Amino acid sequence: MTAEVEHGAGDAGGTVEDRPVGVIGGVGPLATAYFLQRVVQRTDAERDQDHVDLVVLNHATIPDRTDFVLGRSPADPGPVLARDARRLQDFGVQFLVMPCNTAHYFTQQVLDAVTVPFVSIIDVTVAAARARVPGLGRVGLLATAGTVASKVYDDAFAAHGIDVVVPDAADQDVVSTVIYDQVKAGRPADPDALRGVAARLVERGASVVVLGCTELSVAAVDHHLLDEEPFLDSMDELVRATITGAGHRVR
């Protein structure tokens, strides 16, 4: 899924470095806002002009990704995401990112709609997990029920011989409560609930626990979970890839 971003390739719109990064956003809106904030915070910059140029389509009314993946709704987000990708490409972006893990279930539809590179949050997170733990054999995953059911992380890690363990039904309900009833609803998140679920995944052999939902990334930033083992945040990895892909340095 992840495409290498080639710097310095000129076209009618100027060199790659002259063109902004396109963000397929609104999935969800708060996670998109946090992604933008983190790109600014993590860019090694001393003035406005040192930051990454971004064009954001914050399309909050895209149909719910998890509801479609789980068969609870017939409203398919895929064509909408593909159309948004084309709109960003028409704007002249150098590459695309999408700060939503569940939406990566529809990656092929996005790829079929555009010719510019697409940098996958799944792929950069898998690469970061492998770099953190050489010989990694098992990871835990905290994500929406849609992401869990879609197997996007299972498939990506399996390509490297790595197993994914997910919460049991009761713990998945805990994770879903944090995502939907707390972060998406604009209420305070319960970090201790996430710590408890993560600890049980570690007991089952996970060396790394991936925060595979950008709403969980919001909670992680707010409660400093990124400073704690064994958490690895997918949004943080996409932020790094966005900054470096655009030719800037990570702070």
Side-chain angles (χ1 to χ4, degrees):
M1 290 181 194
T2 300
E4 294 294 332
V5 180
E6 185 176 328
H7 298 293
D11 64 8
T15 64
V16 167
E17 290 91 337
D18 292 334
R19 303 190 336 247
V21 176
V23 181
I24 304 171
V27 284
L30 184 58
T32 301
Y34 265 62
F35 172 77
L36 301 176
Q37 178 179 326
R38 293 294 286 173
V39 169
V40 172
Q41 291 173 333
R42 298 302 304 276
T43 301
D44 186 7
E46 296 182 356
R47 55 180 187 152
D48 291 348
Q49 292 75 21
D50 294 333
H51 284 280
V52 178
D53 291 328
L54 300 156
V55 176
V56 185
L57 183 48
N58 202 45
H59 195 169
T61 55
I62 290 176
D64 188 273
R65 283 67 60 200
T66 292
D67 281 350
F68 181 81
V69 172
L70 296 181
R72 299 193 298 234
S73 169
D76 187 351
V80 184
L81 293 167
R83 186 165 60 248
D84 286 351
R86 286 193 298 269
R87 293 165 72 184
L88 288 165
Q89 176 174 268
D90 290 345
F91 191 92
V93 301
Q94 57 171 301
F95 64 92
L96 294 166
V97 296
M98 185 163 58
C100 173
N101 287 269
T102 310
H104 279 66
Y105 177 77
F106 308 95
T107 293
Q108 192 58 52
Q109 293 180 63
V110 172
L111 294 176
D112 290 343
V114 298
T115 57
V116 295
F118 175 81
V119 177
S120 163
I121 195 171
I122 309 297
D123 290 348
V124 298
T125 301
V126 170
R130 295 178 65 215
R132 178 185 287 190
V133 181
L136 179 65
R138 179 169 288 188
V139 301
L141 176 64
L142 303 185
T144 65
T147 296
V148 171
S150 74
K151 302 290 188 180
V152 289
Y153 273 106
D154 297 67
D155 293 343
F157 275 111
H160 301 282
I162 301 167
D163 294 329
V164 173
V165 291
V166 299
D168 62 20
D171 274 348
Q172 184 60 49
D173 286 343
V174 171
V175 175
S176 296
T177 294
V178 173
I179 294 169
Y180 292 100
D181 298 338
Q182 297 174 6
V183 177
K184 281 185 179 290
R187 300 187 180 98
D190 182 355
D192 288 334
L194 295 178
R195 291 184 179 105
V197 175
R200 287 184 282 280
L201 294 179
V202 170
E203 289 172 357
R204 293 167 57 192
S207 302
V208 174
V209 175
V210 171
L211 296 175
C213 172
T214 45
E215 273 71 35
L216 296 180
S217 302
V218 171
V221 171
D222 285 351
H223 297 282
H224 308 290
L225 295 182
L226 303 191
D227 298 330
E228 303 178 17
E229 294 289 351
F231 292 109
L232 177 69
D233 181 33
S234 61
M235 180 189 285
D236 194 54
E237 297 309 322
L238 185 62
V239 165
R240 291 171 179 268
T242 300
I243 294 168
T244 58
H248 295 253
R249 295 187 304 273
V250 177
R251 188 188 300 278

